[in-house]
Amino acid sequence: MKDDDVNRAVTYGLFAARALHDAEEVAPPRAGSVARLPEPRERFPTVPELVCRAAESVHRREFGVAVGVMGTLVGAAAVAGARTGGGSGFCQGALTPRRAGVPRPTRARDAGAGAALTAGATILSHTVARGLTGAR
């Protein structure tokens, strides 16, 4: 297997893993199969009240649409990564700080850019979802 094939396989494999995880997130649980999960306030007591209220107010439909929008963004990052052999900054910020499965040195600037990309994508996903579902 050539390096380009490995890069492509890793990039699309990460996307497939993310898609499977997202499908699990939005799949409705069977009755009685899931134990009660703690409320955000119990799990994260240092998170500000405003953030907890916002998280608790997200409707299931809005969440599903937001996951789909995020999946589209991650899919676009996977395509960019496959085209560049994993070298796309968009791919690396959206999927992983790795190239062909090998960790690359992470600079503070790269970590900050990845965090900003994630935050921006999350805000965009929920904004689009609210617009499409009419939530709030």
Side-chain angles (χ1 to χ4, degrees), residues 52-80:
C52 289
R53 275 187 292 190
E56 291 169 347
S57 69
V58 174
H59 298 280
R60 184 167 187 79
R61 186 169 176 217
E62 176 190 338
F63 178 74
V65 172
V67 167
V69 172
M70 184 67 84
T72 302
L73 294 171
V74 172
V79 169

Short mmCIF file of all heavy atoms in Angstrom, two decimals, residues 52-80:
data_model
loop_
_atom_site.label_atom_id
_atom_site.label_comp_id
_atom_site.label_asym_id
_atom_site.label_seq_id
_atom_site.Cartn_x
_atom_site.Cartn_y
_atom_site.Cartn_z
N CYS A 52 -25.19 25.63 31.33
CA CYS A 52 -26.00 24.45 31.67
C CYS A 52 -27.44 24.61 31.16
O CYS A 52 -27.99 23.67 30.57
CB CYS A 52 -26.01 24.21 33.18
SG CYS A 52 -24.45 23.63 33.82
N ARG A 53 -28.03 25.77 31.36
CA ARG A 53 -29.40 25.99 30.87
C ARG A 53 -29.48 25.89 29.35
O ARG A 53 -30.43 25.34 28.81
CB ARG A 53 -29.93 27.34 31.34
CG ARG A 53 -30.52 27.27 32.74
CD ARG A 53 -31.16 28.56 33.06
NE ARG A 53 -30.03 29.51 33.18
CZ ARG A 53 -30.11 30.73 33.63
NH1 ARG A 53 -31.24 31.23 33.96
NH2 ARG A 53 -29.05 31.48 33.72
N ALA A 54 -28.48 26.43 28.67
CA ALA A 54 -28.46 26.37 27.21
C ALA A 54 -28.35 24.92 26.75
O ALA A 54 -29.06 24.50 25.82
CB ALA A 54 -27.31 27.19 26.66
N ALA A 55 -27.49 24.14 27.37
CA ALA A 55 -27.32 22.73 26.98
C ALA A 55 -28.60 21.93 27.25
O ALA A 55 -28.98 21.07 26.44
CB ALA A 55 -26.15 22.12 27.74
N GLU A 56 -29.26 22.20 28.35
CA GLU A 56 -30.48 21.47 28.69
C GLU A 56 -31.66 21.83 27.80
O GLU A 56 -32.60 21.08 27.67
CB GLU A 56 -30.84 21.71 30.15
CG GLU A 56 -29.86 21.09 31.11
CD GLU A 56 -30.06 21.55 32.55
OE1 GLU A 56 -30.81 22.53 32.78
OE2 GLU A 56 -29.46 20.93 33.43
N SER A 57 -31.59 23.01 27.16
CA SER A 57 -32.73 23.47 26.37
C SER A 57 -32.68 23.01 24.91
O SER A 57 -33.60 23.30 24.15
CB SER A 57 -32.81 24.99 26.43
OG SER A 57 -31.73 25.56 25.72
N VAL A 58 -31.62 22.33 24.50
CA VAL A 58 -31.51 21.87 23.11
C VAL A 58 -32.50 20.73 22.89
O VAL A 58 -32.49 19.73 23.59
CB VAL A 58 -30.07 21.41 22.80
CG1 VAL A 58 -30.00 20.79 21.41
CG2 VAL A 58 -29.11 22.57 22.91
N HIS A 59 -33.38 20.91 21.92
CA HIS A 59 -34.37 19.89 21.60
C HIS A 59 -33.73 18.76 20.80
O HIS A 59 -32.74 18.96 20.09
CB HIS A 59 -35.52 20.50 20.80
CG HIS A 59 -36.26 21.56 21.56
ND1 HIS A 59 -37.21 21.26 22.50
CD2 HIS A 59 -36.15 22.91 21.52
CE1 HIS A 59 -37.66 22.39 23.01
NE2 HIS A 59 -37.03 23.40 22.44
N ARG A 60 -34.30 17.58 20.90
CA ARG A 60 -33.75 16.40 20.22
C ARG A 60 -33.63 16.62 18.70
O ARG A 60 -32.65 16.25 18.09
CB ARG A 60 -34.62 15.19 20.53
CG ARG A 60 -34.08 13.92 19.95
CD ARG A 60 -34.79 12.71 20.57
NE ARG A 60 -34.19 11.49 20.14
CZ ARG A 60 -33.07 10.98 20.63
NH1 ARG A 60 -32.42 11.60 21.58
NH2 ARG A 60 -32.59 9.85 20.17
N ARG A 61 -34.65 17.23 18.11
CA ARG A 61 -34.61 17.46 16.66
C ARG A 61 -33.49 18.42 16.29
O ARG A 61 -32.76 18.21 15.33
CB ARG A 61 -35.96 17.98 16.20
CG ARG A 61 -36.07 18.11 14.72
CD ARG A 61 -37.49 18.38 14.30
NE ARG A 61 -37.53 18.58 12.87
CZ ARG A 61 -38.31 19.44 12.26
NH1 ARG A 61 -39.17 20.15 12.96
NH2 ARG A 61 -38.27 19.58 10.97
N GLU A 62 -33.37 19.50 17.06
CA GLU A 62 -32.28 20.46 16.81
C GLU A 62 -30.93 19.76 16.94
O GLU A 62 -30.03 19.96 16.12
CB GLU A 62 -32.35 21.62 17.81
CG GLU A 62 -31.20 22.59 17.67
CD GLU A 62 -31.11 23.60 18.80
OE1 GLU A 62 -32.11 23.85 19.49
OE2 GLU A 62 -30.00 24.13 19.00
N PHE A 63 -30.79 18.92 17.96
CA PHE A 63 -29.54 18.20 18.17
C PHE A 63 -29.22 17.31 16.97
O PHE A 63 -28.10 17.30 16.47
CB PHE A 63 -29.62 17.36 19.45
CG PHE A 63 -28.38 16.56 19.71
CD1 PHE A 63 -27.22 17.17 20.16
CD2 PHE A 63 -28.37 15.19 19.49
CE1 PHE A 63 -26.07 16.43 20.40
CE2 PHE A 63 -27.23 14.44 19.72
CZ PHE A 63 -26.08 15.06 20.17
N GLY A 64 -30.21 16.60 16.47
CA GLY A 64 -30.00 15.73 15.32
C GLY A 64 -29.56 16.49 14.08
O GLY A 64 -28.66 16.05 13.36
N VAL A 65 -30.20 17.63 13.83
CA VAL A 65 -29.83 18.45 12.67
C VAL A 65 -28.41 19.01 12.87
O VAL A 65 -27.61 19.01 11.93
CB VAL A 65 -30.85 19.57 12.43
CG1 VAL A 65 -30.37 20.53 11.36
CG2 VAL A 65 -32.20 18.98 12.04
N ALA A 66 -28.10 19.46 14.08
CA ALA A 66 -26.77 19.99 14.36
C ALA A 66 -25.70 18.92 14.14
O ALA A 66 -24.63 19.20 13.59
CB ALA A 66 -26.69 20.54 15.78
N VAL A 67 -25.98 17.69 14.55
CA VAL A 67 -25.04 16.59 14.33
C VAL A 67 -24.85 16.37 12.83
O VAL A 67 -23.73 16.14 12.35
CB VAL A 67 -25.50 15.30 15.05
CG1 VAL A 67 -24.72 14.09 14.59
CG2 VAL A 67 -25.38 15.47 16.56
N GLY A 68 -25.93 16.46 12.06
CA GLY A 68 -25.83 16.31 10.60
C GLY A 68 -25.00 17.41 9.96
O GLY A 68 -24.19 17.14 9.06
N VAL A 69 -25.19 18.63 10.41
CA VAL A 69 -24.40 19.75 9.88
C VAL A 69 -22.92 19.56 10.22
O VAL A 69 -22.04 19.72 9.36
CB VAL A 69 -24.92 21.11 10.41
CG1 VAL A 69 -23.99 22.25 10.03
CG2 VAL A 69 -26.33 21.37 9.91
N MET A 70 -22.66 19.16 11.46
CA MET A 70 -21.27 18.92 11.86
C MET A 70 -20.68 17.78 11.05
O MET A 70 -19.51 17.85 10.62
CB MET A 70 -21.20 18.61 13.35
CG MET A 70 -19.79 18.44 13.87
SD MET A 70 -18.80 19.94 13.85
CE MET A 70 -19.30 20.67 15.38
N GLY A 71 -21.46 16.74 10.80
CA GLY A 71 -20.99 15.63 9.97
C GLY A 71 -20.62 16.08 8.57
O GLY A 71 -19.65 15.58 7.98
N THR A 72 -21.39 17.01 8.03
CA THR A 72 -21.08 17.55 6.71
C THR A 72 -19.74 18.30 6.73
O THR A 72 -18.92 18.14 5.82
CB THR A 72 -22.21 18.49 6.24
OG1 THR A 72 -23.43 17.75 6.23
CG2 THR A 72 -21.94 19.07 4.87
N LEU A 73 -19.52 19.07 7.77
CA LEU A 73 -18.24 19.79 7.90
C LEU A 73 -17.08 18.81 8.04
O LEU A 73 -16.02 18.99 7.42
CB LEU A 73 -18.29 20.74 9.10
CG LEU A 73 -19.27 21.90 9.00
CD1 LEU A 73 -19.37 22.63 10.33
CD2 LEU A 73 -18.88 22.85 7.89
N VAL A 74 -17.27 17.78 8.85
CA VAL A 74 -16.21 16.78 9.04
C VAL A 74 -15.97 16.01 7.74
O VAL A 74 -14.83 15.70 7.39
CB VAL A 74 -16.54 15.84 10.22
CG1 VAL A 74 -15.56 14.69 10.30
CG2 VAL A 74 -16.55 16.61 11.52
N GLY A 75 -17.04 15.73 7.00
CA GLY A 75 -16.90 15.07 5.71
C GLY A 75 -16.09 15.92 4.73
O GLY A 75 -15.23 15.41 4.01
N ALA A 76 -16.36 17.21 4.72
CA ALA A 76 -15.59 18.12 3.86
C ALA A 76 -14.12 18.15 4.28
O ALA A 76 -13.22 18.17 3.43
CB ALA A 76 -16.18 19.53 3.92
N ALA A 77 -13.87 18.09 5.57
CA ALA A 77 -12.49 18.04 6.06
C ALA A 77 -11.80 16.74 5.64
O ALA A 77 -10.62 16.74 5.30
CB ALA A 77 -12.45 18.19 7.57
N ALA A 78 -12.55 15.64 5.66
CA ALA A 78 -11.99 14.35 5.24
C ALA A 78 -11.62 14.38 3.76
O ALA A 78 -10.55 13.88 3.37
CB ALA A 78 -12.99 13.22 5.52
N VAL A 79 -12.47 14.96 2.93
CA VAL A 79 -12.17 15.08 1.51
C VAL A 79 -10.92 15.94 1.31
O VAL A 79 -10.02 15.60 0.53
CB VAL A 79 -13.37 15.64 0.73
CG1 VAL A 79 -12.99 16.01 -0.70
CG2 VAL A 79 -14.52 14.63 0.73
N ALA A 80 -10.85 17.06 2.04
CA ALA A 80 -9.66 17.92 1.94
C ALA A 80 -8.41 17.17 2.37
O ALA A 80 -7.35 17.28 1.75
CB ALA A 80 -9.85 19.18 2.79
#
